[in-house]
Amino acid sequence: MSSIERVDVFVASPGRTFVTLRITTTDGVVGLGDATLNGRELAVASYLRDHVVPLLIGRDPARIEDMWQYLYKGAYWRRGPVTMTAISAVDTALWDIKGRTAGLPVYQLLGGRSRDGVLVYSHASGTDVPSLLDDVERYLELGYKAVRAQAAVPGVGGTYGVRKGTVYEPAATDLPDEQPWDTEAYLGFAPTYLEAVRERFGFGFHLLHDVHHRLTPIEAARFGRSVEGCRLFWMEDPTPAEDQSAFRLIRQHTTTPIAVGEVMNSIWDVKDLITEQLIDYVRTTVVHAGGITHLRRIFDLAALHQVRTGSHGATDLSPVSMAAAVHLDLAVPNFGIQEHMGHPAETAEVFRTGVTFADGMLHPSEEPGLGVEYDEKAAERFPYQRRYLPVARRLDGSVHDW
């Protein structure tokens, strides 16, 4: 019987910092998992190397569910982003091994296709309304059928979500960039540029917008109501989701669909949001919510309550977890949409992936497993670089919510 013989943890920064787990079995089968936790990557790498890897050697790689329960319950200290990201990496690697052993792509092991492709959206932004409109046009010409729109708030020095240069990369500084934030200015401006997008391009595509958790519940309700005429696909992260009951207030005042969950890492974090139908899309990810095994559990609960999937897919998801997300998206019955930002050219030097984009959708590789390979030698050319997301501060200098 095959067993786990070796486990390696790699930290490299090919355009973005990634933590990659590689599990090798005694019969030579290799599986890959993503263990990237943006801004806290080394914490997960240490958790894996010092605490998880010794537990894996000699175990049966086919017992995926048992391994998940063993790592989750056996640690006593449960949940949290570091623990769940580490478990995610192991779980994803084991699904990769399962597929390679069976000679099937992972989506076939999950029940096969529920759709022909995975609808995705990408990020248009601008320093003002004209440049935003030009960027939306660019994405529509590339074939996207769904576009997220963000523009810099006039008079506010830094607006998260607005691309600087050719690549949108929010984690770009060695220490957090501290950016000012003005809620009233945002509330007055954002609806105007979303209306401008609809006025220029019409309603023949899906339009999304990210609030980045920066509003109180009543402010989020006000915003959602003000943009109902734009028919948004969703407003994302309108308020911090630690208080799940806050979304009841938003629901009372607006019919704009709500998406939330990318910073959540377990089914318990989103249970009330789903079962009370306080959201329309759950954005938990394969890399931060316990891997394919646990994310499928979240999606199954969501399906019972007419909540669809809309997983986070920023550049801090390596090609490994993006491939895993696409395989799962393809199989689940309640899929909604998948975020897709792509990766810089340096990333492609380290990761080879069979996921392709066509007609506004992503399509998984038909190779066994996840269809991703990791070039260890190439990764050595991109040593670890510390990079943090920015921190928002109100005009009075106090730290603001995301």
Side-chain angles (χ1 to χ4, degrees):
M1 180 182 70
S2 176
S3 63
I4 296 173
E5 183 175 60
R6 178 171 176 170
V7 184
D8 299 290
V9 180
F10 304 103
V11 181
S13 298
R16 184 68 180 256
T17 298
F18 301 114
V19 180
T20 304
L21 183 75
R22 185 177 67 193
I23 297 178
T24 305
T25 69
T26 51
D27 52 8
V29 181
V30 172
L32 297 175
D34 183 9
T36 305
L37 183 61
N38 192 5
R40 299 293 184 270
E41 298 93 351
L42 297 185
V44 185
S46 175
Y47 189 102
L48 285 166
R49 289 179 177 133
D50 298 334
H51 304 292
V52 174
V53 169
L55 307 178
L56 301 180
I57 304 301
R59 295 192 176 273
D60 183 354
R63 296 179 61 171
I64 297 176
E65 178 67 35
D66 181 69
M67 184 72 76
W68 197 98
Q69 299 295 335
Y70 173 73
L71 294 177
Y72 180 81
K73 296 177 179 177
Y76 184 77
W77 308 107
R78 302 183 183 185
R79 298 158 65 183
V82 174
T83 293
M84 295 303 283
T85 301
I87 293 175
S88 296
V90 175
D91 184 81
T92 302
L94 294 181
W95 276 103
D96 193 17
I97 289 171
K98 179 84 75 173
R100 294 180 191 230
T101 301
L104 293 170
V106 166
Y107 78 82
Q108 293 286 15
L109 304 179
L110 299 172
R113 291 176 180 265
S114 288
R115 56 197 47 81
D116 295 329
V118 171
L119 177 69
V120 294
Y121 72 92
S122 199
H123 299 188
S125 67
T127 55
D128 52 25
V129 176
S131 60
L132 168 63
L133 296 178
D134 289 344
D135 211 31
V136 171
E137 183 174 37
R138 180 172 70 90
Y139 279 103
L140 293 177
E141 290 176 348
L142 288 172
Y144 283 90
K145 299 176 182 178
V147 180
R148 193 189 85 170
Q150 313 287 139
V153 180
V156 178
T159 303
Y160 185 83
V162 176
R163 184 174 63 250
K164 298 177 182 178
T166 58
V167 177
Y168 173 49
E169 181 46 76
T173 54
D174 183 60
L175 292 174
D177 180 23
E178 299 189 13
Q179 300 179 349
W181 178 253
D182 185 337
T183 297
E184 284 303 313
Y186 164 80
L187 286 171
F189 178 60
T192 66
Y193 69 71
L194 294 172
E195 291 164 2
V197 171
R198 283 304 193 199
E199 182 178 351
R200 176 166 169 179
F201 300 107
F203 292 85
F205 70 102
H206 299 302
L207 178 61
L208 302 85
H209 179 70
D210 191 351
V211 183
H212 295 296
H213 308 102
R214 292 187 176 181
L215 301 179
T216 66
I218 197 64
E219 289 169 345
R222 169 184 159 193
F223 176 81
R225 188 164 186 173
S226 72
V227 298
E228 285 180 356
C230 296
R231 301 206 314 246
L232 294 184
F233 188 90
W234 74 38
M235 61 173 176
E236 178 183 337
D237 295 338
T239 195
E242 286 92 342
D243 179 10
Q244 297 185 34
S245 65
F247 287 77
R248 296 193 192 105
L249 188 150
I250 302 174
R251 277 291 202 221
Q252 292 169 6
H253 295 279
T254 181
T255 58
T256 297
I258 300 169
V260 77
E262 71 180 64
V263 300
M264 303 304 182
N265 48 68
S266 79
I267 195 169
W268 299 279
D269 297 320
V270 294
K271 177 180 70 68
D272 293 345
L273 293 171
I274 291 172
T275 59
E276 296 186 35
Q277 296 179 318
L278 301 178
I279 60 173
D280 302 279
Y281 298 89
V282 60
R283 302 202 66 244
T284 44
T285 71
V286 69
V287 66
H288 299 139
I292 293 172
T293 297
H294 194 65
L295 189 58
R296 179 65 181 265
R297 199 161 285 139
I298 293 172
F299 289 173
D300 285 344
L301 176 65
L304 297 178
H305 298 278
Q306 301 184 69
V307 174
R308 291 190 285 174
T309 76
S311 287
H312 177 65
T315 50
D316 59 326
L317 275 72
S318 87
V320 176
S321 57
M322 179 55 71
V326 171
H327 280 270
L328 184 56
D329 291 337
L330 200 68
V332 297
N334 57 323
F335 170 75
I337 201 167
Q338 171 68 53
E339 182 178 17
H340 174 238
M341 291 176 60
H343 292 99
E346 298 94 329
T347 305
E349 296 181 37
V350 175
F351 298 90
R352 184 192 64 79
T353 177
V355 174
T356 55
F357 173 81
D359 300 322
M361 296 188 289
L362 290 180
H363 303 271
S365 169
E366 293 298 321
E367 297 178 38
L370 296 174
V372 183
E373 302 295 336
Y374 184 80
D375 189 332
E376 181 181 353
K377 291 296 182 183
E380 292 175 356
R381 300 200 304 271
F382 302 97
Y384 169 70
Q385 295 181 357
R386 187 174 64 188
R387 291 289 182 267
Y388 286 111
L389 293 172
V391 172
R393 287 189 180 272
R394 298 178 180 89
L395 296 183
D396 67 1
S398 59
V399 175
H400 201 327
D401 283 310
W402 267 95

